[in-house]
């Protein structure tokens, strides 16, 4: 049963109870009042009749039935009541309901209750059944006295039926009024219950729509009473809740974007080691499948060290840390930290990929080893020749000269190595001040020929320059960029047998979608080529395909590393194509200067 029906039913119950209790009480009160009024009326009528009789009656010794009854009947015509005159000895001398013989035969009325009461009280009143008329009457008796002498009793009587009819009709009126009042009260009650419950209905509807997700829903407030205030408070409460939800969602978004964009992998597992959350970095690092939520970590990623670390964190309930090699494609090395949270029912696993750091450490270690080795070789040689010179016979001038030349060659190589190292360090540090000027690549031609013409002639190599003058300009540090051409052409000359050909060409590349239009330069030789496995490594420092040969050629193994860095400083890139025994093409690309 809903609250409305409950309210209406109890309201109807109360209304009916109150109205009919009232009707019962008022009905009884009314009956009493009306009855008293009728008695008063009877008294008035009796008093009037008495006055008339005192005037009209003969002396009591001259009482005869016809005379008195005639008088009484005349008097009774004016009223609607039964009138009786009883002599002081109880003989009934006149009655409006009896005539002739039947009047004479009437009982002596002295013992009648109402007469006895009139004798003792001065007024007698009685409701009783009349044997004479076989009707129930209300009697009222007043003694009739003339000159202080009692001459009889004047009695008026009204049939009880008439009294009951009068009272009954009044009571009926009261009942009708009660029924009408109850009906009106019930109708009003039902209507006002509806009106009272309307705000509650609106509140219910609003809470339903909020539950359905429309969190901005508001209840319409139409009044300022207690319910209106409740609705206002509800609206205030939803505002506050919405504010909190907004705050939390902003925080969540912030947290989510941090987690989504951070380099570290973050993973959350529950007591059963099932994944409850993984950020994108963790998905990549652990190579997680699409549906990983709710699956056990061990089931997805079989890294024993990770499992061991998780068990350690579970057992010790403290932070566990270890460096682990992840079983993903790159075999990344990672620092893994496991932190118990939420009363040890969850664990946060933070994975920090340190492959790059470790690789840098390895490169640095290799570099130091390489540098030491590269420096030690010429130094040992110089030291050897110098000691030999010191101990040798000073007259053998031919040998002396030969040794001094060797010392010079090695110290030159040493000096080149040191200056190349310095140059590379400078470029790598990033604080090279570039003096960028727009220029056409064809502008390098003359300078290049100045450097290489003698060597080319000596080795019988042909250099074909095919860079058109009308190509767009590029923005370069002229002096530094010259090094790119020098290194690449120098390598081409070094690794191409005599009589070979070196071609330098360039064109615009518009197919590169990632970058803006760029100028691509090709330096092609017909030399010894670079084996496939070395092609990706020739840009590393000190990497040489054939160490002995390269060294003989005077190479330091740093030329291509320097070239790559110079191009990077110019937002350019470098790559190569090569076929063993056929030749090599180095390509480099530079962004074209925008014309606007
Ligand atoms: P280097 O000073 O030894 O020439 P680079 O860094 O310039 O050092 O080159 C690295 C290595 O790449 C060389 O030792 C050589 O083995 C290989 N290389 C470079 N250019 C060519 C080329 N044009 N043809 C064949 N091999 C080359």
């Amino acid at each position: 049963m809903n609250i409305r029906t409950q309210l209406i039913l109890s309201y109807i119950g109360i209304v009916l109870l109150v109205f009919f209790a009232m009707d019962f009480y008022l009905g009884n009160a009314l009956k009493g009042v009306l009855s008293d009024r009728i008695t008063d009326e009877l008294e008035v009528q009796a008093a009037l009749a008495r006055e008339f009789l005192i005037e009209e009656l003969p002396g009591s010794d001259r009482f005869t039935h016809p005379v008195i009854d005639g008088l009484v009947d005349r008097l009774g015509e004016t009223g609607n009541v039964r009138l009786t005159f009883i002599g002081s000895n109880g003989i009934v001398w006149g009655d409006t309901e009896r005539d002739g013989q039947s009047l004479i035969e009437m009982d002596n009325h002295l013992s009648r209750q109402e007469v006895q009461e009139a004798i003792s009280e001065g007024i007698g009143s009685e409701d009783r059944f009349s044997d004479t008329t076989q009707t129930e009457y209300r009697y009222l008796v007043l003694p009739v006295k003339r000159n202080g002498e009692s001459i009889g009793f004047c009695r008026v009587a009204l049939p009880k039926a008439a009294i009951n009819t009068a009272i009954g009709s009044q009571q009926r009126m009261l009942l009708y009024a009660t029924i009408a009042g109850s009906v009106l009260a019930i109708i009003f009650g039902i209507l006002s219950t509806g009106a009272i419950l309307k705000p509650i209905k609106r509140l219910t509807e609003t809470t339903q729509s909020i539950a359905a997700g429309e969190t901005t829903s508001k209840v319409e407030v139409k009044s300022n009473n207690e319910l209106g205030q409740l609705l206002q408070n509800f609206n205030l409460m939803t505002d506050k809740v919405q504010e909190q939800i907004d705050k939390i969602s902003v925080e969540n978004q912030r947290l989510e974007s941090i987690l989504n964009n951070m380099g570290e992998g973050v993973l959350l597992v529950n007591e059963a080691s099932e994944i409850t959350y993984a950020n994108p970095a963790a998905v990549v690092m652990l190579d997680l499948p699409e549906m990983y939520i709710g699956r056990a970590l061990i089931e997805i990623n079989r890294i024993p060290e990770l499992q061991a670390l998780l068990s350690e964190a579970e057992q010790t309930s403290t932070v566990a840390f270890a460096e682990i090699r992840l079983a993903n494609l790159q075999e990344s090395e990672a620092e893994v930290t496991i932190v118990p949270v939420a009363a040890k029912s969850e664990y946060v696993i933070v994975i920090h990929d340190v492959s790059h750091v470790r690789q840098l450490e390895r490169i640095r270690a290799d570099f130091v080893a390489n540098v030491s080795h590269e420096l030690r070789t010429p130094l040992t040689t110089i030291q050897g020749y110098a000691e030999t010179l010191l101990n040798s016979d000073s007259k053998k001038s031919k040998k002396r000269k030969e040794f001094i030349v060797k010392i010079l060659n090695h110290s030159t190589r040493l000096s080149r190595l040191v200056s190349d190292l310095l140059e590379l360090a400078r470029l790598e540090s990033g604080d090279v001040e570039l003096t960028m000027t727009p220029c056409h690549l064809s502008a390098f031609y003359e300078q290049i020929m100045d450097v290489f013409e003698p060597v080319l002639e000596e080795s019988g190599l042909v250099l074909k320059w095919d860079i058109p003058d009308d190509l767009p300009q590029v923005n370069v540090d002229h002096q530094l960029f010259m090094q790119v051409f020098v290194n690449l052409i120098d390598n081409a000359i070094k690794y191409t047998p005599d009589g070979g050909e070196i071609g330098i060409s360039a064109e615009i590349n518009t197919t590169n979608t990632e970058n803006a239009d760029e100028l691509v330069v090709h330096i092609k030789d017909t030399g010894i080529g670079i084996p496939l496995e070395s092609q990706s490594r020739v840009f590393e420092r000190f990497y040489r395909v054939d160490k002995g040969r390269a060294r003989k050629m005077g190479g330091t193994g740093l030329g291509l590393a320097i070239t790559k860095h110079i191009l990077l400083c110019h937002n350019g890139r470098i790559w190569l194509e090569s076929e063993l025994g056929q030749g090599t093409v180095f390509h480099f690309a530079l962004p074209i200067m925008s014309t606007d």
Side-chain angles (χ1 to χ4, degrees), residues 80-220:
N80 52 357
V81 291
R82 177 183 168 195
L83 187 67
T84 314
F85 179 75
I86 304 158
S88 50
N89 52 2
I91 296 169
V92 180
W93 290 108
D95 193 300
T96 48
E97 299 292 313
R98 285 283 183 275
D99 291 310
Q101 195 53 38
S102 64
L103 176 67
I104 295 164
E105 283 169 4
M106 274 179 76
D107 294 343
N108 187 298
H109 272 45
L110 195 64
S111 59
R112 292 286 194 270
Q113 186 106 31
E114 64 272 13
V115 177
Q116 283 303 313
E117 213 177 289
I119 293 167
S120 56
E121 307 277 331
I123 182 166
S125 157
E126 185 65 22
D127 287 357
R128 85 179 155 70
F129 191 78
S130 157
D131 291 332
T132 319
T133 57
Q134 292 295 306
T135 316
E136 201 182 357
Y137 280 106
R138 169 165 297 179
Y139 296 101
L140 195 123
V141 181
L142 287 178
V144 183
K145 286 179 181 171
R146 197 160 46 193
N147 304 325
E149 182 206 350
S150 172
I151 54 169
F153 302 94
C154 168
R155 189 181 75 172
V156 287
L158 192 66
K160 260 317 265 289
I163 296 172
N164 289 343
T165 309
I167 292 174
S169 85
Q170 291 301 316
Q171 279 181 325
R172 244 190 325 280
M173 292 291 281
L174 183 67
L175 183 69
Y176 293 154
T178 304
I179 291 171
S182 311
V183 169
L184 280 176
I186 287 168
I187 291 171
F188 178 74
I190 290 171
L191 291 179
S192 61
T193 308
I196 290 168
L197 291 179
K198 228 176 203 169
I200 296 176
K201 204 176 162 203
R202 287 206 300 275
L203 184 67
T204 312
E205 283 165 4
T206 311
T207 51
Q208 277 166 350
S209 69
I210 288 174
E214 283 176 40
T215 49
T216 49
S217 301
K218 287 267 157 6
V219 200
E220 207 182 327

Side-chain angles (χ1 to χ4, degrees), residues 383-540:
Q383 197 184 6
Y385 284 118
E387 277 169 5
T388 317
L389 269 179
L390 198 67
N391 300 330
S392 69
D393 194 343
S394 57
K395 284 171 199 160
K396 288 181 182 170
S397 62
K398 199 182 160 211
K399 262 277 185 258
R400 231 174 102 88
K401 197 176 172 193
E402 197 184 309
F403 282 7
I404 291 170
V405 167
K406 292 224 171 172
I407 288 174
L408 190 70
N409 281 346
H410 279 284
S411 46
T412 311
R413 182 176 149 69
L414 208 58
S415 144
R416 199 182 317 139
L417 192 69
V418 170
S419 59
D420 275 2
L421 273 173
L422 285 174
E423 177 73 359
L424 193 62
R426 202 169 66 94
L427 287 167
E428 275 185 335
S429 71
D431 48 39
V432 198
E433 263 192 38
L434 300 173
T435 321
M436 298 295 228
T437 42
C439 73
H440 287 284
L441 285 183
S442 51
F444 284 94
Y445 178 69
E446 269 182 37
Q447 221 179 329
I448 287 168
M449 289 319 282
D450 285 349
V451 175
F452 290 109
E453 210 154 25
V455 197
L456 287 167
E457 260 174 35
E458 197 184 303
S459 53
L461 289 169
V462 180
L463 190 141
K464 281 195 178 162
W465 182 267
D466 190 17
I467 295 186
D469 291 341
D470 56 358
L471 280 179
Q473 288 189 313
V474 283
N475 217 3
V476 293
D477 179 317
H478 199 93
Q479 208 183 337
L480 192 63
F481 205 74
M482 180 65 190
Q483 194 69 39
V484 171
F485 277 111
V486 169
N487 284 357
L488 292 175
I489 297 169
D490 187 48
N491 277 352
I493 293 172
K494 274 195 293 190
Y495 301 107
T496 304
D498 292 356
E501 192 180 287
I502 296 160
I504 302 172
S505 58
E507 85 267 323
I508 302 170
N509 177 21
T510 51
T511 55
N512 190 345
T513 47
E514 272 173 43
N515 301 308
D517 285 356
E518 53 185 12
L519 216 58
V520 182
V521 180
H522 318 282
I523 294 164
K524 184 177 188 298
D525 65 50
T526 54
I528 58 170
I530 301 169
L532 196 63
E533 65 275 13
S534 300
Q535 286 181 10
S536 61
R537 302 199 58 191
V538 289
F539 297 103
E540 287 174 19

Side-chain angles (χ1 to χ4, degrees), residues 420 487-488 490-496 523 525 527-531 534 537-547 549-551 553-563 578 583-586:
D420 275 2
N487 284 357
L488 292 175
D490 187 48
N491 277 352
I493 293 172
K494 274 195 293 190
Y495 301 107
T496 304
I523 294 164
D525 65 50
I528 58 170
I530 301 169
S534 300
R537 302 199 58 191
V538 289
F539 297 103
E540 287 174 19
R541 287 167 293 194
F542 294 116
Y543 185 82
R544 282 159 295 193
V545 178
D546 180 344
K547 275 202 169 112
R549 183 178 187 151
R551 205 168 284 144
M553 292 292 180
T556 58
L558 296 171
L560 284 178
I562 292 173
T563 306
S578 184
T584 305
V585 193
F586 276 92

